[in-house]
Structure formats: C-alpha cells, structure tokens
Amino acid sequence: MGADDRTGPPRFGSEREMLRAFLDYHRATLAMKCEGLTDEQLRRRSMPPSALSLLGLVRHMAEVERAWFRRVFEDHDAPMVWSDRIDFQAAYDDSESTRAEAFAAWEAEVETSRRIEREAASLDVAGYQPRWGEEVSLRMVLLHVLLEYGRHNGHADFLREGVDGAVGA
C-alpha cells in the first residue's frame, strides 16, 4: 500500500456533509487497500470455501452502489452489473475479472451515486427500494451504504494482510 492520501472526514459539519465525507472516506479506504496489487493478488481468496477477495469486494460494492442509489432513485429496473438477476454473490466470482474492469464499473457507480446524492433536495428525499417493495429515505440509503463499506473494509484489512502483509489504515 502506498501513502495514505485519503481525505479524512471533517470534525464538524452538517449531517449531510458528515455522511458524504464518511462515505467518501470509506470508498477511498477500499481503493487504498487494493493499491499496488496485481490482478492475481486482487483475486486471492481469503480461505476456502470462501470466494471473498479484494477484487470481489470492489465488484460487490459496485453492485451495492447501483442497488442503493441508481435502482432506488432513478431506475428501479436497472440490471445488476454482473448478474442478470438480483444476485449480490455473483460479484464475488472474479475468476475472469481484472482490476481495470472492476474499478471502471465501481468508479462509474460511485460517480452516479454521488450525482444522485448531490441533486437530492434533502436527506428526506424518498426513493423506492424494489427489493423491499417500499420507500426509503436518502438518509437511510447513505447510512446503509456507509455501513456496508465499513463492514467490507474490515474484510479488506484481513485480505490485504493475507496478500502481502500490509496492515494499517
């Protein structure tokens, strides 16, 4: 891993500024955990029978971004990135994936998510979660996705250490 060049969240700010900053911090953390690794290293699995890998996490988080921003606030029928049905596990099959492919999809979904959040009038804007069949607020979506990153960045810590011994951040 290279130098830690993430922008830390502010110590003070509005609820929206804090949620946005912490989410971006966690997005940057996932990217940092993948820095400097080859495609083969990014595909290295945690331990059998788990299919968990750093590349799989990037692919999964692209699906999470799409499912919670694009599908909820813009296009309820938007297809999954790596599956023709709602199957978040499909993203973990990184056997033929590359850093370029996974990061291009993830970065595109992150940019779409950022745009949707920026364009929303408030955190109380409601979207429709098609998997649940009910409305959810932008606030709930931001918190949910932030928690997803937090959980998976914990996985990324262990995966990265297993690949090359790098720890920290």
Side-chain angles (χ1 to χ4, degrees), residues 15 18 20 22-23 32 51-52 66 69 77 80 90 98 116 119 133-134 154 156 168:
E15 178 185 16
M18 297 298 273
R20 181 185 295 150
F22 270 93
L23 183 53
M32 186 181 74
L52 194 62
R66 179 175 285 203
F69 286 95
D77 297 318
M80 299 291 283
T98 64
I116 289 167
E119 291 174 356
E134 59 187 70

Side-chain angles (χ1 to χ4, degrees), residues 154-166:
H155 298 138
D157 286 340
F158 289 119
L159 287 162
R160 180 61 191 248
E161 184 177 7
V163 169
D164 66 358

Side-chain angles (χ1 to χ4, degrees), residues 14-105:
S14 70
E15 178 185 16
R16 191 167 190 171
E17 291 167 338
M18 297 298 273
L19 287 170
R20 181 185 295 150
F22 270 93
L23 183 53
D24 278 340
Y25 183 77
H26 275 279
R27 287 168 172 152
T29 299
L30 180 59
M32 186 181 74
K33 289 294 177 180
C34 297
E35 283 179 7
L37 298 177
T38 66
D39 287 357
E40 180 183 332
Q41 289 172 313
L42 288 169
R43 284 192 293 269
R44 191 167 299 161
R45 304 280 169 90
S46 60
M47 60 190 298
S50 176
L52 194 62
S53 70
L54 286 165
L55 199 57
L57 284 177
V58 172
R59 289 166 50 102
H60 174 71
M61 292 312 297
E63 296 287 23
V64 167
E65 294 271 0
R66 179 175 285 203
W68 283 100
F69 286 95
R70 185 186 303 249
R71 286 179 53 86
V72 168
F73 294 103
E74 284 190 344
D75 180 1
H76 306 310
D77 297 318
M80 299 291 283
V81 182
W82 287 283
S83 175
D84 57 358
R85 59 189 174 80
I86 303 301
D87 179 7
F88 286 89
Q89 296 305 306
Y92 290 116
D93 179 8
D94 61 7
S95 57
E96 304 208 10
S97 185
T98 64
R99 168 193 289 277
E101 172 257 353
F103 271 85

